[in-house]
Amino acid sequence: MNLKKTFLPLINPISKDNPILVQVLGICSALAVTSKLEPALVMAVSVTAVCALANVIISLMRNTIPQSIRIIVQLVVVAALVVVVDQVLKAWNYEVSKALSVFIGLIITNCIIMGRLEAFALNNRPWPSFLDGIGNGIGYGVILIIVGFFRELFGSGTLLGYQIFPQSWYDAGYMNNGLMILPPMALIVVACIIWVHRSYNKDLQE
């Protein structure tokens, strides 16, 4: 029972309290970076790393941060981590970094990260805060990956740049659905995922 309670901050955000599906946070990046699977994966990993590390740092500093400037301190911590992530990404995969463009920088204002710092890290120890950051990052990332998977598959006929549908399909008249790579389709796919999620979690239905 104690073990389950310990890992609740890690498990809960992945399903029951998913930041996108339940709290409806982080929707902007879900619309913007999921036309291809690779940027969605990179964004998922980046947000998870920043959220987990920022949670730990703020938790360690929680007793020394003046209440009046806590938001400024949180922003400085997140901004420093985002700069590191951005530089690592540019060195590791410049093309993806270029594709993500300003959205890596906008992790600084990601409402999931700021929300977890304010609601959890400021009131809890480093280990639970770390688990909470990882859990919320994974919960966010899973949705991005699902949306990116379907949008790239049906919008471009590829996954991670590799052709999935055989050329014979196209020769027979199959066409990629160009609508899938437009931002409104991301919202529709997210809405479908929310519908499935609520169908299996009756307690979340209003």
Side-chain angles (χ1 to χ4, degrees):
M1 186 67 180
N2 288 336
L3 191 62
K4 184 179 178 182
K5 188 177 178 181
T6 300
F7 286 94
L8 195 62
L10 173 64
I11 299 167
N12 209 37
I14 297 174
S15 177
K16 284 285 188 179
D17 199 23
N18 187 281
I20 291 181
L21 302 184
V22 180
Q23 302 174 47
V24 197
L25 301 175
I27 290 290
C28 295
S29 52
L31 304 184
V33 303
T34 54
S35 59
K36 300 283 185 184
L37 183 55
E38 188 176 12
L41 278 164
V42 172
M43 180 61 83
V45 172
S46 300
V47 169
T48 301
V50 171
C51 192
L53 293 173
N55 263 16
V56 171
I57 294 169
I58 293 298
S59 178
L60 289 168
M61 298 169 59
R62 69 188 187 281
N63 295 323
T64 61
I65 301 174
Q67 186 73 6
S68 58
I69 61 166
R70 70 187 191 284
I71 300 295
I72 297 173
V73 173
Q74 291 168 19
L75 283 171
V76 169
V77 169
V78 175
L81 291 171
V82 168
V83 168
V84 173
V85 167
D86 186 42
Q87 293 304 308
V88 169
L89 189 55
K90 281 179 179 174
W92 171 63
N93 195 331
Y94 182 73
E95 288 305 315
V96 174
S97 173
K98 207 164 137 189
L100 288 171
S101 183
V102 298
F103 294 103
I104 285 292
L106 287 176
I107 292 175
I108 297 169
T109 56
N110 190 303
C111 44
I112 295 172
I113 297 174
M114 297 306 296
R116 297 326 297 165
L117 294 178
E118 185 73 11
F120 199 92
L122 279 174
N123 302 299
N124 290 276
R125 293 174 177 244
W127 176 243
S129 297
F130 176 74
L131 293 178
D132 180 78
I134 291 289
N136 277 276
I138 292 174
Y140 165 84
V142 165
I143 304 306
L144 255 66
I145 290 166
I146 293 172
V147 175
F149 174 88
F150 284 108
R151 290 184 70 195
E152 182 176 358
L153 180 63
F154 294 111
S156 304
T158 62
L159 284 176
L160 297 174
Y162 295 99
Q163 189 70 38
I164 299 300
F165 299 132
Q167 185 58 42
S168 58
W169 287 27
Y170 295 98
D171 295 338
Y174 176 81
M175 294 178 64
N176 294 324
N177 187 347
L179 202 61
M180 288 296 291
I181 60 176
L182 298 178
M185 278 309 298
L187 198 58
I188 293 171
V189 175
V190 170
C192 291
I193 299 171
I194 291 174
W195 172 63
V196 172
H197 183 259
R198 298 274 172 113
S199 298
Y200 281 94
N201 293 277
K202 304 292 186 184
D203 54 316
L204 295 176
Q205 297 177 10
E206 296 179 1

